[in-house]
Amino acid sequence: MAPEEKMATIIIADKTLHYDGRDLEKRPLGGTESSVIRLARELARRRHEVTVYTNCDGPIEHEGVCWRSLSETPAVTCDLYIAAHHLELLGFIKRPKRRAIWVLWPVNQLKHYKKIWRAWWYRPVPVLISLHQARMYSPFLPHHDPHIVIPHGLPDDMRGYPPLPTTPLRRAIFTSRPMLDLRKLVEIWAARILPRVPDAALDIYGVHKLQPGQDAWQVWEGSYLPAGLPTQVKKSVQVHPSVSRKEVIQAIRSSRVLLYLGHKAEAFCLAVAEAQALGVPAVIGPIAAVPERVIDGVTGFHRSDPQEFADAAVAILTDDALWRRQHEAALRYQQGISWSEVAGRFEAALLADLIPLYRSVVEYP
């Protein structure tokens, strides 16, 4: 096979937001958009002909991937068509050799009574991203036996760091969207954590619409942030505008603990996975797929009770030896898999009977 020969034609479609492959380096993105971009790039690097349809302005070619607008008329067929979660996208490519649905959000959204007929009409191969999804997968949906579960990869700039030489300051961090129970977390912080660690701070990062110079307490008080807290508590909770990826990595890496109560909408939770890969212990609520991202008692704690959640956070913030053990354990055990391996697993699961595959699933040079 000549090195320049393409192996398979792959089309991915996602209608979540307006984006294309260039946005990964230009602005903060959510987990769905960043994952689509990274998978597409790695499949293209493995010599597949990859086209992604989104709500972008296209046509654009970037990092070996063709980006097209969903308003364009697509090809009639391809070797592999992957619809990103939305059942209404299943018919976008009329006659692919194989049709799959990449289940990126809560799996039982697929059995909505107005949409489930599409799952049975097209019968796509479901690709799940967590064991939680496999457990929750409805028997009323078409399924693959056994389930195909391919976890999200972690980008190279999040993996392979050495242990920190010194213990960070008493700074906790939250890096998820503010609508994912940030308000309840700040209530626990104000009532149960800060009084016991008065020199601690809680940094809030993530993808949101807060603009530089805006005071989060003026904009979010009573919605994403609780109302009526004392000034000293508000000063300890520092909400940052959306910043570059490099700045986020630096902020996470310099934090002592990540705090997240969990949310039923979490199908994987990249925010916790990335913090763990960077060596940050985490205290999380054991909800949905979130507990799969933390080894309880080793790289952090699973705590559902608010007081126990606070106790675990205080322990990591104040006990240097505990922090050191969990920091080094996270670096040892929580590096996840690369996006190259994710692409290799997609190949093995969805293309192995269609094209010759004689290379590593784990890495591709």
Side-chain angles (χ1 to χ4, degrees), residues 14 26 40 106 127 152 180 182 191 202 207 240 242 248 263 267 274 276-277 285-286 293 295 311 327 332:
D14 173 36
K26 288 169 57 177
V127 179
H152 279 327
L180 300 183
L182 174 60
L202 174 60
V207 179
H240 302 264
S242 296
V248 170
H263 194 277
E274 291 177 345
Q276 289 268 281
R293 310 279 77 82
I295 305 173
D311 291 344
H327 168 66
R332 185 178 307 116

PDB file of all heavy atoms in Angstrom, residues 14 26 40 106 127 152 180 182 191 202 207 240 242 248 263 267 274 276-277 285-286 293 295 311 327 332:
ATOM      1  N   ASP A  14     -21.865  16.493  13.452  1.00  0.00           N
ATOM      2  CA  ASP A  14     -22.223  16.987  14.788  1.00  0.00           C
ATOM      3  C   ASP A  14     -22.922  18.328  14.629  1.00  0.00           C
ATOM      4  O   ASP A  14     -22.431  19.210  13.922  1.00  0.00           O
ATOM      5  CB  ASP A  14     -20.967  17.143  15.651  1.00  0.00           C
ATOM      6  CG  ASP A  14     -21.269  17.808  16.985  1.00  0.00           C
ATOM      7  OD1 ASP A  14     -22.352  17.544  17.538  1.00  0.00           O
ATOM      8  OD2 ASP A  14     -20.437  18.600  17.469  1.00  0.00           O
ATOM      9  N   LYS A  26      -7.978  28.120  19.022  1.00  0.00           N
ATOM     10  CA  LYS A  26      -8.365  29.533  19.026  1.00  0.00           C
ATOM     11  C   LYS A  26      -9.193  29.950  20.219  1.00  0.00           C
ATOM     12  O   LYS A  26      -9.126  31.100  20.665  1.00  0.00           O
ATOM     13  CB  LYS A  26      -9.145  29.851  17.739  1.00  0.00           C
ATOM     14  CG  LYS A  26      -8.302  29.876  16.490  1.00  0.00           C
ATOM     15  CD  LYS A  26      -9.149  29.939  15.230  1.00  0.00           C
ATOM     16  CE  LYS A  26     -10.090  31.113  15.196  1.00  0.00           C
ATOM     17  NZ  LYS A  26     -10.854  31.178  13.924  1.00  0.00           N
ATOM     18  N   ALA A  40     -11.206  13.276  14.815  1.00  0.00           N
ATOM     19  CA  ALA A  40     -11.086  13.474  13.369  1.00  0.00           C
ATOM     20  C   ALA A  40      -9.625  13.632  12.960  1.00  0.00           C
ATOM     21  O   ALA A  40      -9.173  13.045  11.969  1.00  0.00           O
ATOM     22  CB  ALA A  40     -11.900  14.697  12.945  1.00  0.00           C
ATOM     23  N   PRO A 106     -25.820  11.722  28.126  1.00  0.00           N
ATOM     24  CA  PRO A 106     -26.583  10.644  28.786  1.00  0.00           C
ATOM     25  C   PRO A 106     -27.250   9.730  27.772  1.00  0.00           C
ATOM     26  O   PRO A 106     -27.966  10.173  26.869  1.00  0.00           O
ATOM     27  CB  PRO A 106     -27.599  11.420  29.633  1.00  0.00           C
ATOM     28  CG  PRO A 106     -26.892  12.686  29.981  1.00  0.00           C
ATOM     29  CD  PRO A 106     -26.114  13.040  28.749  1.00  0.00           C
ATOM     30  N   VAL A 127     -21.433   3.555  19.975  1.00  0.00           N
ATOM     31  CA  VAL A 127     -20.107   3.606  20.591  1.00  0.00           C
ATOM     32  C   VAL A 127     -20.244   4.439  21.867  1.00  0.00           C
ATOM     33  O   VAL A 127     -20.542   5.644  21.813  1.00  0.00           O
ATOM     34  CB  VAL A 127     -19.064   4.234  19.654  1.00  0.00           C
ATOM     35  CG1 VAL A 127     -17.697   4.290  20.340  1.00  0.00           C
ATOM     36  CG2 VAL A 127     -18.969   3.431  18.359  1.00  0.00           C
ATOM     37  N   HIS A 152     -12.957   8.534  26.257  1.00  0.00           N
ATOM     38  CA  HIS A 152     -12.302   9.674  25.637  1.00  0.00           C
ATOM     39  C   HIS A 152     -10.801   9.615  25.891  1.00  0.00           C
ATOM     40  O   HIS A 152     -10.344   9.157  26.948  1.00  0.00           O
ATOM     41  CB  HIS A 152     -12.831  10.987  26.215  1.00  0.00           C
ATOM     42  CG  HIS A 152     -14.133  11.423  25.626  1.00  0.00           C
ATOM     43  ND1 HIS A 152     -14.498  11.191  24.317  1.00  0.00           N
ATOM     44  CD2 HIS A 152     -15.172  12.123  26.175  1.00  0.00           C
ATOM     45  CE1 HIS A 152     -15.691  11.706  24.089  1.00  0.00           C
ATOM     46  NE2 HIS A 152     -16.127  12.273  25.195  1.00  0.00           N
ATOM     47  N   LEU A 180     -23.472  23.218  36.282  1.00  0.00           N
ATOM     48  CA  LEU A 180     -23.361  21.870  36.841  1.00  0.00           C
ATOM     49  C   LEU A 180     -23.116  21.946  38.346  1.00  0.00           C
ATOM     50  O   LEU A 180     -22.067  21.553  38.867  1.00  0.00           O
ATOM     51  CB  LEU A 180     -22.254  21.088  36.131  1.00  0.00           C
ATOM     52  CG  LEU A 180     -22.446  20.912  34.619  1.00  0.00           C
ATOM     53  CD1 LEU A 180     -21.332  20.068  34.030  1.00  0.00           C
ATOM     54  CD2 LEU A 180     -23.806  20.299  34.302  1.00  0.00           C
ATOM     55  N   LEU A 182     -22.521  24.377  40.447  1.00  0.00           N
ATOM     56  CA  LEU A 182     -21.526  25.261  41.067  1.00  0.00           C
ATOM     57  C   LEU A 182     -22.115  25.941  42.302  1.00  0.00           C
ATOM     58  O   LEU A 182     -21.438  26.083  43.324  1.00  0.00           O
ATOM     59  CB  LEU A 182     -21.056  26.310  40.063  1.00  0.00           C
ATOM     60  CG  LEU A 182     -20.126  27.394  40.633  1.00  0.00           C
ATOM     61  CD1 LEU A 182     -18.859  26.795  41.212  1.00  0.00           C
ATOM     62  CD2 LEU A 182     -19.798  28.437  39.558  1.00  0.00           C
ATOM     63  N   ALA A 191     -19.971  27.220  53.951  1.00  0.00           N
ATOM     64  CA  ALA A 191     -20.472  26.783  55.258  1.00  0.00           C
ATOM     65  C   ALA A 191     -19.595  25.731  55.924  1.00  0.00           C
ATOM     66  O   ALA A 191     -19.505  25.682  57.162  1.00  0.00           O
ATOM     67  CB  ALA A 191     -21.893  26.233  55.104  1.00  0.00           C
ATOM     68  N   LEU A 202     -11.000  29.218  46.273  1.00  0.00           N
ATOM     69  CA  LEU A 202     -11.645  28.359  45.286  1.00  0.00           C
ATOM     70  C   LEU A 202     -11.641  29.090  43.948  1.00  0.00           C
ATOM     71  O   LEU A 202     -12.273  30.133  43.794  1.00  0.00           O
ATOM     72  CB  LEU A 202     -13.080  28.039  45.709  1.00  0.00           C
ATOM     73  CG  LEU A 202     -13.941  27.263  44.701  1.00  0.00           C
ATOM     74  CD1 LEU A 202     -13.322  25.907  44.384  1.00  0.00           C
ATOM     75  CD2 LEU A 202     -15.366  27.091  45.242  1.00  0.00           C
ATOM     76  N   VAL A 207     -15.809  26.811  30.583  1.00  0.00           N
ATOM     77  CA  VAL A 207     -16.403  27.472  29.426  1.00  0.00           C
ATOM     78  C   VAL A 207     -17.694  28.148  29.860  1.00  0.00           C
ATOM     79  O   VAL A 207     -18.641  27.490  30.276  1.00  0.00           O
ATOM     80  CB  VAL A 207     -16.673  26.461  28.296  1.00  0.00           C
ATOM     81  CG1 VAL A 207     -17.314  27.153  27.098  1.00  0.00           C
ATOM     82  CG2 VAL A 207     -15.376  25.775  27.886  1.00  0.00           C
ATOM     83  N   HIS A 240     -12.873  33.129  37.091  1.00  0.00           N
ATOM     84  CA  HIS A 240     -12.002  33.616  36.029  1.00  0.00           C
ATOM     85  C   HIS A 240     -12.715  33.571  34.684  1.00  0.00           C
ATOM     86  O   HIS A 240     -13.488  32.637  34.411  1.00  0.00           O
ATOM     87  CB  HIS A 240     -10.740  32.753  35.955  1.00  0.00           C
ATOM     88  CG  HIS A 240      -9.970  32.714  37.243  1.00  0.00           C
ATOM     89  ND1 HIS A 240      -8.888  33.540  37.494  1.00  0.00           N
ATOM     90  CD2 HIS A 240     -10.130  31.962  38.362  1.00  0.00           C
ATOM     91  CE1 HIS A 240      -8.405  33.290  38.708  1.00  0.00           C
ATOM     92  NE2 HIS A 240      -9.148  32.341  39.259  1.00  0.00           N
ATOM     93  N   SER A 242     -13.053  32.814  30.682  1.00  0.00           N
ATOM     94  CA  SER A 242     -12.502  31.722  29.891  1.00  0.00           C
ATOM     95  C   SER A 242     -11.133  32.137  29.356  1.00  0.00           C
ATOM     96  O   SER A 242     -10.980  33.214  28.785  1.00  0.00           O
ATOM     97  CB  SER A 242     -13.440  31.385  28.729  1.00  0.00           C
ATOM     98  OG  SER A 242     -14.674  30.901  29.214  1.00  0.00           O
ATOM     99  N   VAL A 248      -5.216  27.390  31.516  1.00  0.00           N
ATOM    100  CA  VAL A 248      -6.031  26.452  32.294  1.00  0.00           C
ATOM    101  C   VAL A 248      -5.163  25.336  32.852  1.00  0.00           C
ATOM    102  O   VAL A 248      -5.282  24.958  34.030  1.00  0.00           O
ATOM    103  CB  VAL A 248      -7.181  25.877  31.437  1.00  0.00           C
ATOM    104  CG1 VAL A 248      -7.878  24.735  32.171  1.00  0.00           C
ATOM    105  CG2 VAL A 248      -8.192  26.965  31.099  1.00  0.00           C
ATOM    106  N   HIS A 263     -22.788  15.439  38.323  1.00  0.00           N
ATOM    107  CA  HIS A 263     -24.064  15.825  37.731  1.00  0.00           C
ATOM    108  C   HIS A 263     -24.574  14.664  36.884  1.00  0.00           C
ATOM    109  O   HIS A 263     -23.790  13.940  36.259  1.00  0.00           O
ATOM    110  CB  HIS A 263     -23.901  17.078  36.866  1.00  0.00           C
ATOM    111  CG  HIS A 263     -25.185  17.732  36.498  1.00  0.00           C
ATOM    112  ND1 HIS A 263     -25.956  17.316  35.440  1.00  0.00           N
ATOM    113  CD2 HIS A 263     -25.857  18.778  37.060  1.00  0.00           C
ATOM    114  CE1 HIS A 263     -27.032  18.078  35.348  1.00  0.00           C
ATOM    115  NE2 HIS A 263     -27.006  18.962  36.309  1.00  0.00           N
ATOM    116  N   ALA A 267     -21.549  12.036  31.076  1.00  0.00           N
ATOM    117  CA  ALA A 267     -21.372  10.734  30.444  1.00  0.00           C
ATOM    118  C   ALA A 267     -19.927  10.267  30.515  1.00  0.00           C
ATOM    119  O   ALA A 267     -19.645   9.082  30.359  1.00  0.00           O
ATOM    120  CB  ALA A 267     -21.818  10.792  28.991  1.00  0.00           C
ATOM    121  N   GLU A 274      -8.931  15.202  33.185  1.00  0.00           N
ATOM    122  CA  GLU A 274      -7.752  16.014  32.879  1.00  0.00           C
ATOM    123  C   GLU A 274      -7.041  16.460  34.152  1.00  0.00           C
ATOM    124  O   GLU A 274      -5.806  16.448  34.216  1.00  0.00           O
ATOM    125  CB  GLU A 274      -8.163  17.212  32.022  1.00  0.00           C
ATOM    126  CG  GLU A 274      -8.582  16.808  30.619  1.00  0.00           C
ATOM    127  CD  GLU A 274      -9.065  17.967  29.770  1.00  0.00           C
ATOM    128  OE1 GLU A 274      -9.354  19.056  30.315  1.00  0.00           O
ATOM    129  OE2 GLU A 274      -9.158  17.780  28.540  1.00  0.00           O
ATOM    130  N   GLN A 276      -6.983  14.904  37.006  1.00  0.00           N
ATOM    131  CA  GLN A 276      -6.299  13.731  37.552  1.00  0.00           C
ATOM    132  C   GLN A 276      -5.016  13.431  36.775  1.00  0.00           C
ATOM    133  O   GLN A 276      -3.980  13.112  37.366  1.00  0.00           O
ATOM    134  CB  GLN A 276      -7.234  12.520  37.504  1.00  0.00           C
ATOM    135  CG  GLN A 276      -8.383  12.598  38.503  1.00  0.00           C
ATOM    136  CD  GLN A 276      -8.040  11.941  39.832  1.00  0.00           C
ATOM    137  OE1 GLN A 276      -8.079  10.729  39.973  1.00  0.00           O
ATOM    138  NE2 GLN A 276      -7.698  12.754  40.823  1.00  0.00           N
ATOM    139  N   ALA A 277      -5.061  13.531  35.461  1.00  0.00           N
ATOM    140  CA  ALA A 277      -3.864  13.284  34.652  1.00  0.00           C
ATOM    141  C   ALA A 277      -2.756  14.280  34.985  1.00  0.00           C
ATOM    142  O   ALA A 277      -1.564  13.952  34.911  1.00  0.00           O
ATOM    143  CB  ALA A 277      -4.210  13.361  33.169  1.00  0.00           C
ATOM    144  N   GLY A 285     -18.652  13.982  43.759  1.00  0.00           N
ATOM    145  CA  GLY A 285     -19.880  13.282  44.094  1.00  0.00           C
ATOM    146  C   GLY A 285     -20.018  12.078  43.186  1.00  0.00           C
ATOM    147  O   GLY A 285     -19.813  12.191  41.971  1.00  0.00           O
ATOM    148  N   PRO A 286     -20.351  10.906  43.723  1.00  0.00           N
ATOM    149  CA  PRO A 286     -20.424   9.687  42.914  1.00  0.00           C
ATOM    150  C   PRO A 286     -21.708   9.616  42.095  1.00  0.00           C
ATOM    151  O   PRO A 286     -22.613   8.828  42.372  1.00  0.00           O
ATOM    152  CB  PRO A 286     -20.342   8.573  43.962  1.00  0.00           C
ATOM    153  CG  PRO A 286     -20.911   9.172  45.197  1.00  0.00           C
ATOM    154  CD  PRO A 286     -20.542  10.634  45.162  1.00  0.00           C
ATOM    155  N   ARG A 293     -13.779   8.358  37.012  1.00  0.00           N
ATOM    156  CA  ARG A 293     -12.599   9.187  36.758  1.00  0.00           C
ATOM    157  C   ARG A 293     -11.674   9.306  37.967  1.00  0.00           C
ATOM    158  O   ARG A 293     -10.572   9.823  37.842  1.00  0.00           O
ATOM    159  CB  ARG A 293     -13.030  10.591  36.322  1.00  0.00           C
ATOM    160  CG  ARG A 293     -14.059  10.642  35.193  1.00  0.00           C
ATOM    161  CD  ARG A 293     -13.408  10.457  33.833  1.00  0.00           C
ATOM    162  NE  ARG A 293     -13.059   9.079  33.541  1.00  0.00           N
ATOM    163  CZ  ARG A 293     -13.911   8.161  33.075  1.00  0.00           C
ATOM    164  NH1 ARG A 293     -15.169   8.459  32.883  1.00  0.00           N
ATOM    165  NH2 ARG A 293     -13.490   6.937  32.815  1.00  0.00           N
ATOM    166  N   ILE A 295     -10.056   7.274  41.535  1.00  0.00           N
ATOM    167  CA  ILE A 295      -9.903   6.050  42.320  1.00  0.00           C
ATOM    168  C   ILE A 295     -10.108   6.424  43.788  1.00  0.00           C
ATOM    169  O   ILE A 295      -9.269   7.102  44.395  1.00  0.00           O
ATOM    170  CB  ILE A 295      -8.515   5.425  42.112  1.00  0.00           C
ATOM    171  CG1 ILE A 295      -8.252   5.199  40.614  1.00  0.00           C
ATOM    172  CG2 ILE A 295      -8.421   4.101  42.874  1.00  0.00           C
ATOM    173  CD1 ILE A 295      -6.836   4.744  40.308  1.00  0.00           C
ATOM    174  N   ASP A 311     -15.293  17.329  54.523  1.00  0.00           N
ATOM    175  CA  ASP A 311     -14.207  16.745  55.322  1.00  0.00           C
ATOM    176  C   ASP A 311     -13.063  16.270  54.423  1.00  0.00           C
ATOM    177  O   ASP A 311     -11.881  16.464  54.740  1.00  0.00           O
ATOM    178  CB  ASP A 311     -14.726  15.572  56.154  1.00  0.00           C
ATOM    179  CG  ASP A 311     -15.678  15.992  57.267  1.00  0.00           C
ATOM    180  OD1 ASP A 311     -15.707  17.194  57.591  1.00  0.00           O
ATOM    181  OD2 ASP A 311     -16.391  15.119  57.785  1.00  0.00           O
ATOM    182  N   HIS A 327      -1.424  12.912  44.896  1.00  0.00           N
ATOM    183  CA  HIS A 327      -0.822  13.585  43.735  1.00  0.00           C
ATOM    184  C   HIS A 327       0.011  12.594  42.916  1.00  0.00           C
ATOM    185  O   HIS A 327      -0.161  12.471  41.693  1.00  0.00           O
ATOM    186  CB  HIS A 327       0.046  14.739  44.244  1.00  0.00           C
ATOM    187  CG  HIS A 327       0.941  15.347  43.217  1.00  0.00           C
ATOM    188  ND1 HIS A 327       0.476  16.032  42.120  1.00  0.00           N
ATOM    189  CD2 HIS A 327       2.318  15.376  43.117  1.00  0.00           C
ATOM    190  CE1 HIS A 327       1.498  16.466  41.397  1.00  0.00           C
ATOM    191  NE2 HIS A 327       2.619  16.071  41.978  1.00  0.00           N
ATOM    192  N   ARG A 332       0.564   8.462  38.444  1.00  0.00           N
ATOM    193  CA  ARG A 332       0.940   7.079  38.123  1.00  0.00           C
ATOM    194  C   ARG A 332      -0.208   6.326  37.437  1.00  0.00           C
ATOM    195  O   ARG A 332       0.020   5.577  36.483  1.00  0.00           O
ATOM    196  CB  ARG A 332       1.348   6.357  39.406  1.00  0.00           C
ATOM    197  CG  ARG A 332       1.893   4.932  39.198  1.00  0.00           C
ATOM    198  CD  ARG A 332       2.316   4.300  40.514  1.00  0.00           C
ATOM    199  NE  ARG A 332       3.234   5.157  41.248  1.00  0.00           N
ATOM    200  CZ  ARG A 332       2.964   5.710  42.442  1.00  0.00           C
ATOM    201  NH1 ARG A 332       1.803   5.481  43.038  1.00  0.00           N
ATOM    202  NH2 ARG A 332       3.837   6.478  43.042  1.00  0.00           N
TER     203      ARG A 332
END
